[in-house]
Amino acid sequence: MSELKKEDLLKAYRIMKEIREFEERLHVEFATGKIPGFVHLYAGEEAVATGVCMHLTDQDRISSTHRGHGHCIAKGVDIIGMMAEIYGKKTGTCCGKGGSMHIADLEKGMLGANGIVGAGPPLVCGAALASKFKGTDGVGVAFFGDGASNQGTVLESMNLANVWNLPVIFLAENNGYAESTGVKYNVPTPNIADRAAGFGMPGVTVDGNDFFAVYEAAGVAIRRAREGGGPTLLECKTNRFFGHFEGDAMTYKAPGEVKRQREENDCLKIFSAKVISAGLVTAAELEAIDKEVAALINEAVAKAVAAPKPTEADLLTDVYVSY
Amino acid sequence: MSELKKEDLLKAYRIMKEIREFEERLHVEFATGKIPGFVHLYAGEEAVATGVCMHLTDQDRISSTHRGHGHCIAKGVDIIGMMAEIYGKKTGTCCGKGGSMHIADLEKGMLGANGIVGAGPPLVCGAALASKFKGTDGVGVAFFGDGASNQGTVLESMNLANVWNLPVIFLAENNGYAESTGVKYNVPTPNIADRAAGFGMPGVTVDGNDFFAVYEAAGVAIRRAREGGGPTLLECKTNRFFGHFEGDAMTYKAPGEVKRQREENDCLKIFSAKVISAGLVTAAELEAIDKEVAALINEAVAKAVAAPKPTEADLLTDVYVSY
Amino acid sequence: MSRKISYKDAINEALSQEMERDKSVIVMGLDNAGGRGTEGEKDAWGGVLGVTKGLYGKYGDRVMDTPISEAAYIGSAVGAAACGMRPVVEMMFVDFLGVCFDQMMNQAAKFRYMFGGKSVTPVVMRTMYGGGFRAAAQHSQVLYSILAHIPGLKVVVPSTPYDAKGLLIECIRDNDPVIFLEHKALYGMKGEVPEESYTIPFGQANIVREGKDLTIVALGRMVHMASQAAASLAKTGVEVEVIDPRTISPIDWATILKSVEKTGKLVVVDEANPRCSMATDISAKVVQEAFKALTAPIKMVTAPHTPPPFSDVLEDLYIPNAAKIEAAVRSIL
Amino acid sequence: MSRKISYKDAINEALSQEMERDKSVIVMGLDNAGGRGTEGEKDAWGGVLGVTKGLYGKYGDRVMDTPISEAAYIGSAVGAAACGMRPVVEMMFVDFLGVCFDQMMNQAAKFRYMFGGKSVTPVVMRTMYGGGFRAAAQHSQVLYSILAHIPGLKVVVPSTPYDAKGLLIECIRDNDPVIFLEHKALYGMKGEVPEESYTIPFGQANIVREGKDLTIVALGRMVHMASQAAASLAKTGVEVEVIDPRTISPIDWATILKSVEKTGKLVVVDEANPRCSMATDISAKVVQEAFKALTAPIKMVTAPHTPPPFSDVLEDLYIPNAAKIEAAVRSIL
Ligand SMILES: Cc1ncc(C[n+]2csc(CCOP(=O)(O)OP(=O)(O)O)c2C)c(N)n1
Ligand SMILES: Cc1ncc(C[n+]2csc(CCOP(=O)(O)OP(=O)(O)O)c2C)c(N)n1
Ligand SMILES: [Mg+2]
Ligand SMILES: [Mg+2]
């Protein structure tokens, strides 16, 4: 905690709150039927994206997953544009052509949410390679889930990153589930981080609901990467509060499981309690942020709803630069 | 050594010798230009295939690699048919349609050499699964190289085998090279077996030039698998005496490297010295086998050369069972 | 036969009846039971859209859930098939073939030929395809043309609940590797389906509607779009013949060619991208084999040469529909 | 321009000149230098058939060797391309696409569209294809039809040393993902190649031979088979026009259609399997757009619907050749 200035703490809270509010609101809006497609919400996992991305600048790059809203927001992608994108509007980050699963903003170093489980880590290896060749000290962070930890691309990338000594952080978001299947079924070791040793890199597991734990561990890994020390596998254990995607009744979770997590393991509550009780920030300051964030999300939804859809002219463009 | 009866020792020697003679002869014949396609020789690695397959029966299954002749012979595939196959003849194991890289004999539990690096382990998981469902105690052994240890399919399969608790042995043949690239470049840990822990299974490394070391370690792993104990990763460190494929000048090896290996690390020499000095077998007995094997390989080549090629009628058959 | 059930339930019933009949039939895929390794309900999902729901309750561990390792688990199905099982393995969306295609294309499809006819690999791969769900570029593709390109694979694209059940049972009993493509927008479609088990042979097209003026060959969900167009055309006196090949490898060329011999005109409707597609495949066959009968250019109605877009307005423009088919028909009448 | 070099050397020269010109061009692939992690020679291989040999000596670590992890390293090339590099990544044989296709098909090809036009991904994937090496079912395939099916990819199939160099330089400078297919049986072929750097635009066919009686469109190595057939036919007074599209996505439809408008007859020669292939693609386009001009059925000369066989006699029967092309031509004269 001590490392962080007050403005950083407020910034971290704001980002986590933006993600939470964005997702809670989408949950409500989705139920109205106005949002097309598959939507996977990140609520509950905010401390992970935020704790990592607080260390990053636009020249650092991340790859994300199907559950990408949190990563986007933490990496600085415009929330108004994101909401419009999820609504399929022309004003969206991707002009309505990508949707929830494909939000990207290369200027911000956000290489895209991804509909293919495990597709991100190879891409981030390439981004990190580009940083090396371009002589920046940019790093790459590949976010992936516990389920994705079994995809060959993810495992290959860990090895490749070490062989090429790339500045990459493999960020395993272990929320306990891959769709309806528990991590205990899919991953035969206590921690996903146990895979790191086999690829010759450090593996670290932290409480992903504790922003500070994530922030610190990510800081170590990112500094190491920036200094040429190579890749790290960092696992953050966390929870998702909603279903795998909107519409999932979560019958595979124990009765009361989510309720308990929301009460006991909510990263926002944990953060607030810590910073307030340490006297670093006041409850009033956080409430002020809450209000601003609520207004922002309201604005985003209102603008998204009002925005125009793409038109026939947009259908055939943007396939190639030239053809 | 003590575990093995004399007839087993002679059998092991015969198999290793058959492989060696088969490969040395192919090396010579290939240079004459009569053998089509890509040929990858197993000479130098005989103790591995033999030490493992001595534990197996026809109901156990193996998957092999592009360097498959040794696995085939050790698994009992007919040598006359193999040679004819490599010559592209109608009398070959696969009627001349497969060639060196695709020799298979499902009756013998040999699921095929494979031109795709890393394609075998998933197949063997399936074979082992079939054994479980059919209620036999058959195991599966997936042979793969140090280079292949980086292919996603191989890594995924290790995890899958554990999740499904399959009777599979992942048999890493670490001959130090993937084509022209050293294992030190491709694999960032001292041993490939170091990857096992990350998938929750035992990982063992042995001297692959020592038949007895292989035999014992394979025995442990196979028994464990048969008894329902799940998969093991067994790494055997060995050498290949010829190029990656025939035609490779091996300039990437240190001068004298192969010569030294042939002198100091030849699994056949090591085996002979051990069994003779232990008084288990006489030099004359081994020489007698040498002669028989030489005659067999001569016969195989003569028959292969004389055999008819497939004909136009064969081109379109065997694509489907029915279509 | 008056019982009506959905396309989804027809598939579930086919699986269940075959699992009942033959112990070597096993089912595997992501969350095909669901809830494993959790403290909640078992059999929680039955696959992402519930198609295999309930099988776990009936057949227990013969319904296998898998880690997200398509290459490994689909390869396992292939290996198990080569060793006496009859696995029905699910690749959730056909869009995912890029992570596991080798096991289908170079392994399952080629074993028999490479091994000189000395193997059988009775594996069925079920997968969802097609648009309409606003699922964007990586969850809406069609891709069956890629599969049909590969010798050694059989490729099946049922358009009705009846065909889905009969063809899936045929797939499971067939001794070659078969890809069974389920259009996700058809799952809710209801139709008459006999309760008892039955099979539909591969390579037997269905003449959905007879007509003398023009032949439409349409695939999968497009069969319904074509029928709609044909009904509309009929009101203006144009009699279109609509053919559903039902399986695209093998494909019933005889029925298609005979129809074009009669009508002299062909429109092919394929939801896929146009290049090297089933639309071109059928066009090419007809211009080779029925050239003399042709009295007009062949027309193809397909998606454009772009990835599937997300936004509903764009996706609606993207997917072929009855109006576009009707326009194509009229352009060559 | 009288210097003759091989197809292989032309490719090497294109790579070298572009690496020299532009620091963002990097080369990666299995053993593209070779000898890393060994005690022997560095730069030992230059790729499995020596195409990149010598680049390591000139450009050092910009020639990257890779573990056998195609999905990861090809994906890295894609990622690096999206971040300002111009990687030329090698997938050794096109037959291996099954282990890494997702990164080409769902990532590289779709970024620009999915991201609303806000990205460029200038990655080039070099790969070997085709038969003639007795390399059997998993090392002899053609498969470019699969690539051409995917919107967002460009696909290039040079048939001569001259085209190989000019097209590869164009690929590297192009801002879209391009697959550059090298026919392994053409590596030794020599031809005139200027020493200086030059480019050949995509979508510009080469009329290899003019003629008025019939149009042959042939791809890659088949261009030479077609030319042989045309030369033989010329002796009997048949004047065949031979067109080499050189790039199949985009493809120069105008030149093909114009030729068929003139000749009225078309034979397409494609080394690939027939279903959903470039042969069907070209046939379908012509019957749609030049139907009135057609005076005979279109003929396709392709490999059969089987995997590539190993044995030399079978492979010789498998690959289209001049005699088969000539027969196809004669069948519609
Ligand atoms: C290659 C591939 N396989 C399967 C899927 C379907 N799928 C989407 S998300 C998901 C579960 C991912 O679980 P995890 O990695 O733990 O991420 P989480 O959803 O928990 O964030 C699956 C199976 C996919 N999109 N891509
Ligand atoms: C998917 C795939 N990638 C690359 C190749 C080309 N290739 C064939 S063998 C080989 C090296 C394999 O090395 P290793 O696994 O160590 O086996 P070894 O040759 O040493 O027995 C390579 C790269 C291939 N056949 N398949
Ligand atoms: Mg998860
Ligand atoms: Mg090796």
Side-chain angles (χ1 to χ4, degrees):
Chain A
M1 256 191 281
S2 54
E3 216 189 284
L4 285 155
K5 297 199 213 81
K6 177 165 182 175
E7 65 193 74
D8 290 331
L9 293 172
L10 294 176
K11 182 179 163 196
Y13 180 79
R14 181 184 298 272
I15 293 170
M16 292 196 287
K17 189 74 190 181
E18 283 172 350
I19 299 172
R20 177 67 53 88
E21 194 78 13
F22 193 93
E23 301 294 59
E24 298 270 9
R25 183 63 178 272
L26 271 180
H27 179 69
V28 172
E29 297 296 328
F30 189 89
T32 69
K34 266 178 296 187
I35 295 177
F38 293 117
V39 176
H40 307 81
L41 301 180
Y42 193 73
E45 315 189 19
E46 292 85 350
V48 182
T50 310
V52 172
C53 293
M54 285 286 291
H55 294 282
L56 307 180
T57 72
D58 289 355
Q59 78 171 6
D60 299 311
R61 279 129 177 168
I62 68 167
S63 67
S64 168
T65 68
H66 54 289
R67 196 176 304 290
H69 307 162
H71 309 133
C72 288
I73 293 174
K75 198 68 177 64
V77 180
D78 175 50
I79 286 177
I80 308 283
M82 284 177 61
M83 191 65 85
E85 185 60 33
I86 292 166
Y87 273 83
K89 298 303 180 77
K90 171 106 183 169
T91 57
T93 320
C94 307
C95 306
K97 287 179 168 175
S100 167
M101 266 194 292
H102 305 295
I103 300 178
D105 187 341
L106 297 179
E107 304 278 299
K108 294 280 178 193
M110 162 63 199
L111 298 182
N114 212 311
I116 304 298
V117 166
L123 298 169
V124 156
C125 286
L129 185 67
S131 296
K132 271 182 83 167
F133 274 112
K134 300 281 181 191
T136 79
D137 69 350
V139 302
V141 180
F143 290 94
F144 64 97
D146 48 296
S149 75
N150 298 318
Q151 189 63 283
T153 49
V154 176
L155 301 164
E156 288 184 357
S157 296
M158 290 189 201
N159 189 62
L160 184 70
N162 207 342
V163 169
W164 284 351
N165 190 35
L166 297 176
V168 172
I169 290 81
F170 293 92
L171 208 299
E173 301 184 305
N174 183 349
N175 62 10
Y177 296 88
E179 295 189 344
S180 77
T181 300
V183 65
K184 283 188 192 123
Y185 178 76
N186 276 331
V187 175
T189 52
N191 298 310
I192 292 169
D194 297 341
R195 296 194 176 170
F199 301 107
M201 72 176 87
V204 180
T205 301
V206 301
D207 176 358
N209 299 322
D210 177 357
F211 167 85
F212 298 101
V214 176
Y215 181 82
E216 256 167 60
V220 172
I222 290 168
R223 265 191 304 280
R224 187 169 169 269
R226 279 202 212 290
E227 288 163 6
T232 299
L233 169 55
L234 173 56
E235 174 184 18
C236 299
K237 293 199 171 171
T238 180
N239 328 293
R240 73 167 145 78
F241 287 169
F242 293 113
H244 169 63
F245 46 24
E246 287 311 275
D248 168 15
M250 289 199 278
T251 57
Y252 48 84
K253 291 201 173 179
E257 185 174 325
V258 171
K259 185 158 173 282
R260 205 168 49 246
Q261 284 167 346
R262 281 197 181 255
E263 279 162 15
E264 296 166 17
N265 273 316
D266 179 337
C267 58
L268 271 156
K269 285 191 191 153
I270 295 171
F271 180 95
S272 306
K274 275 202 182 169
V275 291
I276 293 173
S277 75
L280 300 168
V281 162
T282 67
E285 285 169 318
L286 299 185
E287 274 160 35
I289 291 176
D290 290 353
K291 285 211 185 97
E292 286 171 32
V293 169
L296 174 64
I297 302 299
N298 275 336
E299 181 195 348
V301 172
K303 282 192 170 159
V305 169
K309 292 192 171 175
T311 64
E312 181 147 19
D314 297 309
L315 181 64
L316 304 182
T317 57
D318 302 331
V319 182
Y320 298 93
V321 177
S322 61
Y323 195 63
Chain B
M1 257 188 282
S2 53
E3 214 188 288
L4 285 155
K5 297 198 212 83
K6 178 167 182 174
E7 66 193 74
D8 291 331
L9 294 171
L10 293 176
K11 182 179 165 198
Y13 180 78
R14 181 184 298 272
I15 293 170
M16 291 197 286
K17 188 73 188 181
E18 282 172 349
I19 300 172
R20 177 67 54 85
E21 193 78 11
F22 193 92
E23 301 294 61
E24 298 269 8
R25 183 64 177 272
L26 271 181
H27 179 69
V28 172
E29 297 296 328
F30 189 88
T32 70
K34 267 179 295 187
I35 295 178
F38 293 117
V39 176
H40 307 80
L41 301 180
Y42 193 73
E45 315 190 17
E46 293 85 350
V48 182
T50 310
V52 172
C53 293
M54 286 285 291
H55 293 283
L56 307 181
T57 72
D58 288 356
Q59 79 171 4
D60 299 312
R61 279 127 179 172
I62 67 168
S63 67
S64 168
T65 68
H66 54 288
R67 197 176 303 291
H69 307 163
H71 308 133
C72 288
I73 293 174
K75 198 70 178 61
V77 180
D78 175 50
I79 286 177
I80 308 283
M82 285 176 61
M83 190 65 86
E85 185 60 33
I86 292 166
Y87 273 82
K89 299 305 180 73
K90 172 106 182 169
T91 56
T93 321
C94 307
C95 307
K97 288 179 169 176
S100 166
M101 267 193 293
H102 305 296
I103 300 178
D105 187 340
L106 297 180
E107 303 278 299
K108 294 279 178 195
M110 162 65 199
L111 298 183
N114 212 310
I116 304 298
V117 167
L123 299 170
V124 156
C125 286
L129 185 67
S131 297
K132 271 183 82 166
F133 274 111
K134 299 282 182 192
T136 79
D137 69 350
V139 302
V141 180
F143 290 94
F144 63 97
D146 47 297
S149 75
N150 298 318
Q151 189 63 281
T153 48
V154 177
L155 300 164
E156 287 184 359
S157 296
M158 291 188 201
N159 189 62
L160 184 70
N162 207 342
V163 170
W164 284 350
N165 190 35
L166 296 177
V168 172
I169 290 81
F170 294 92
L171 206 299
E173 302 184 305
N174 183 351
N175 62 10
Y177 295 89
E179 296 190 344
S180 77
T181 300
V183 65
K184 285 188 190 123
Y185 178 75
N186 276 331
V187 175
T189 53
N191 298 311
I192 292 169
D194 297 341
R195 295 193 177 170
F199 301 107
M201 72 178 83
V204 180
T205 302
V206 300
D207 176 359
N209 299 321
D210 178 357
F211 167 85
F212 297 101
V214 175
Y215 182 82
E216 255 166 60
V220 171
I222 290 167
R223 265 191 303 279
R224 187 168 171 271
R226 281 203 210 290
E227 288 162 6
T232 299
L233 169 55
L234 172 56
E235 174 184 18
C236 298
K237 294 198 170 171
T238 179
N239 327 294
R240 76 166 143 78
F241 287 169
F242 292 114
H244 169 64
F245 46 24
E246 287 310 274
D248 169 15
M250 288 199 278
T251 57
Y252 48 86
K253 291 202 174 179
E257 185 174 323
V258 171
K259 187 160 172 282
R260 205 168 49 248
Q261 285 168 346
R262 281 199 182 257
E263 280 162 15
E264 296 167 16
N265 272 315
D266 179 337
C267 58
L268 270 156
K269 286 190 191 156
I270 294 171
F271 180 94
S272 307
K274 277 204 180 166
V275 291
I276 292 173
S277 76
L280 299 169
V281 162
T282 67
E285 285 170 318
L286 299 185
E287 274 160 36
I289 290 176
D290 291 352
K291 284 209 188 100
E292 285 170 32
V293 169
L296 173 64
I297 302 300
N298 275 336
E299 182 195 347
V301 172
K303 283 193 170 157
V305 170
K309 291 191 171 176
T311 63
E312 182 148 16
D314 298 309
L315 183 64
L316 304 183
T317 56
D318 301 331
V319 182
Y320 299 93
V321 177
S322 62
Y323 195 63
Chain C
M1 88 173 199
S2 63
R3 186 186 63 143
K4 288 200 173 195
I5 63 173
S6 70
Y7 185 90
K8 185 198 246 181
D9 290 342
I11 292 166
N12 185 286
E13 188 167 280
L15 291 170
S16 183
Q17 290 180 351
E18 286 301 289
M19 290 187 86
E20 179 70 38
R21 193 187 61 84
D22 181 351
K23 287 248 164 321
S24 64
V25 177
I26 54 176
V27 160
M28 44 170 99
L30 293 167
D31 304 83
N32 270 2
R36 281 192 168 104
T38 74
E39 288 163 30
E41 258 179 38
K42 301 298 159 237
D43 207 5
W45 263 33
V48 69
L49 298 184
V51 178
T52 51
K53 180 89 182 164
L55 295 178
Y56 176 78
K58 286 187 248 177
Y59 307 105
D61 286 344
R62 286 167 61 204
V63 180
M64 307 191 67
D65 287 339
T66 73
I68 310 179
S69 309
E70 280 85 355
Y73 81 72
I74 291 175
S76 291
V78 173
C83 297
M85 303 298 291
R86 293 189 170 272
V88 182
V89 62
E90 180 186 288
M91 176 171 73
M92 190 186 290
F93 293 95
V94 73
D95 310 70
F96 304 164
L97 71 75
V99 304
C100 55
F101 192 31
D102 185 70
Q103 291 290 335
M104 296 311 297
M105 162 180 106
N106 279 327
Q107 312 301 326
K110 294 188 170 56
F111 279 174
R112 191 168 171 81
Y113 196 78
M114 293 193 305
F115 301 165
K118 296 175 189 164
S119 64
V120 292
T121 311
V123 61
V124 181
M125 184 164 103
R126 293 178 45 242
T127 185
M128 283 186 278
Y129 77 105
F133 267 50
R134 321 316 186 188
Q138 295 172 340
H139 286 73
S140 308
Q141 295 170 90
V142 177
L143 299 182
Y144 48 51
S145 327
I146 289 177
L147 301 164
H149 183 60
I150 305 295
L153 298 181
K154 293 175 174 172
V155 185
V156 177
V157 289
S159 68
T160 66
Y162 179 87
D163 287 354
K165 179 172 173 185
L167 284 168
L168 182 50
I169 294 177
E170 179 78 8
C171 290
I172 294 170
R173 298 185 189 175
D174 192 85
N175 281 323
D176 291 309
V178 193
I179 323 281
F180 183 84
L181 290 124
E182 305 170 8
H183 200 299
K184 51 178 131 14
L186 291 179
Y187 279 142
M189 179 195 174
K190 292 206 167 179
E192 288 188 354
V193 177
E195 250 162 284
E196 64 277 12
S197 181
Y198 61 99
T199 59
I200 298 172
F202 296 157
Q204 227 169 70
N206 189 14
I207 302 178
V208 176
R209 178 188 189 107
E210 295 198 19
K212 62 172 183 25
D213 296 328
L214 184 145
T215 302
I216 298 181
V217 179
L219 300 168
R221 182 174 173 223
M222 294 300 109
V223 172
H224 307 292
M225 308 292 191
S227 293
Q228 246 180 280
S232 159
L233 285 155
K235 290 188 197 135
T236 67
V238 179
E239 290 177 34
V240 165
E241 183 143 304
V242 178
I243 296 177
D244 174 3
R246 300 199 288 195
T247 68
I248 59 179
S249 182
I251 182 167
D252 182 355
W253 290 126
T255 297
I256 295 171
L257 292 170
K258 200 171 144 205
S259 177
V260 177
E261 299 283 355
K262 176 174 74 175
T263 64
K265 296 187 175 65
L266 176 66
V267 170
V268 192
V269 189
D270 179 358
E271 190 183 331
N273 295 119
R275 303 292 313 278
C276 301
S277 62
M278 275 307 300
T280 70
D281 192 67
I282 294 168
S283 303
K285 185 71 173 185
V286 167
V287 68
Q288 279 188 83
E289 309 280 335
F291 176 74
K292 285 209 186 108
L294 277 181
T295 59
I298 295 173
K299 290 284 158 188
M300 300 182 356
V301 184
T302 69
H305 185 66
T306 84
F310 165 63
S311 189
D312 50 0
V313 285
L314 294 180
E315 198 185 29
D316 289 341
L317 290 162
Y318 185 81
I319 302 171
N321 57 30
K324 282 184 197 162
I325 297 168
E326 196 173 331
V329 169
R330 291 204 183 280
S331 77
I332 53 168
L333 277 181
Chain D
M1 87 170 197
S2 63
R3 186 186 63 142
K4 288 200 172 191
I5 63 173
S6 69
Y7 184 92
K8 185 199 246 181
D9 290 344
I11 292 166
N12 185 287
E13 190 167 280
L15 291 170
S16 183
Q17 291 180 352
E18 286 301 287
M19 291 186 86
E20 179 70 38
R21 193 186 62 82
D22 181 350
K23 288 247 164 323
S24 64
V25 178
I26 54 177
V27 160
M28 46 170 98
L30 293 168
D31 303 82
N32 271 1
R36 282 193 167 104
T38 75
E39 288 164 28
E41 260 179 38
K42 300 298 158 235
D43 208 5
W45 263 34
V48 70
L49 298 184
V51 178
T52 52
K53 180 91 183 163
L55 296 178
Y56 177 76
K58 287 188 247 177
Y59 306 105
D61 286 343
R62 285 169 60 206
V63 180
M64 307 192 68
D65 287 339
T66 73
I68 311 179
S69 310
E70 279 86 354
Y73 80 73
I74 291 174
S76 291
V78 173
C83 298
M85 302 299 291
R86 292 189 171 272
V88 182
V89 63
E90 181 185 288
M91 177 170 71
M92 191 186 288
F93 294 95
V94 73
D95 310 68
F96 304 165
L97 70 74
V99 304
C100 54
F101 193 33
D102 185 71
Q103 291 290 334
M104 297 310 298
M105 163 181 108
N106 278 328
Q107 311 301 326
K110 295 189 170 54
F111 279 174
R112 193 170 171 80
Y113 195 78
M114 293 191 306
F115 300 166
K118 296 175 189 164
S119 65
V120 291
T121 312
V123 62
V124 181
M125 185 165 102
R126 293 178 44 243
T127 186
M128 283 186 276
Y129 76 104
F133 267 48
R134 321 314 186 189
Q138 295 172 341
H139 286 72
S140 307
Q141 294 170 89
V142 175
L143 300 182
Y144 47 51
S145 326
I146 290 177
L147 301 164
H149 183 61
I150 304 295
L153 298 181
K154 293 175 175 173
V155 185
V156 177
V157 289
S159 68
T160 67
Y162 179 86
D163 288 354
K165 179 171 172 183
L167 285 169
L168 182 51
I169 294 177
E170 179 77 8
C171 290
I172 295 171
R173 297 183 190 176
D174 192 85
N175 281 323
D176 291 309
V178 193
I179 323 280
F180 183 83
L181 290 124
E182 305 170 8
H183 200 297
K184 51 178 130 17
L186 291 179
Y187 279 143
M189 179 195 176
K190 292 206 167 181
E192 290 189 352
V193 177
E195 251 163 284
E196 65 277 12
S197 179
Y198 60 97
T199 58
I200 298 172
F202 296 157
Q204 227 168 72
N206 190 13
I207 302 179
V208 176
R209 179 186 186 109
E210 294 197 19
K212 59 171 182 32
D213 297 328
L214 183 145
T215 302
I216 299 182
V217 178
L219 299 168
R221 183 176 173 222
M222 294 300 109
V223 171
H224 307 292
M225 308 292 192
S227 293
Q228 247 180 280
S232 159
L233 286 155
K235 289 189 197 133
T236 66
V238 179
E239 291 178 33
V240 166
E241 183 144 303
V242 178
I243 296 176
D244 174 3
R246 302 199 286 196
T247 69
I248 59 179
S249 182
I251 182 166
D252 182 355
W253 290 126
T255 296
I256 295 170
L257 292 170
K258 200 171 144 204
S259 177
V260 177
E261 299 283 355
K262 177 175 74 177
T263 64
K265 296 187 175 66
L266 176 66
V267 170
V268 191
V269 189
D270 180 358
E271 191 183 331
N273 296 117
R275 303 291 314 277
C276 302
S277 63
M278 276 306 301
T280 69
D281 192 67
I282 294 168
S283 303
K285 185 72 173 184
V286 167
V287 67
Q288 279 189 82
E289 308 280 333
F291 177 73
K292 286 211 184 105
L294 276 182
T295 59
I298 294 172
K299 290 284 158 189
M300 302 182 358
V301 185
T302 69
H305 186 66
T306 84
F310 165 63
S311 188
D312 50 0
V313 286
L314 294 180
E315 197 184 29
D316 289 342
L317 290 162
Y318 185 82
I319 302 171
N321 58 29
K324 282 185 198 161
I325 298 167
E326 198 174 330
V329 168
R330 291 205 184 280
S331 77
I332 54 168
L333 277 180

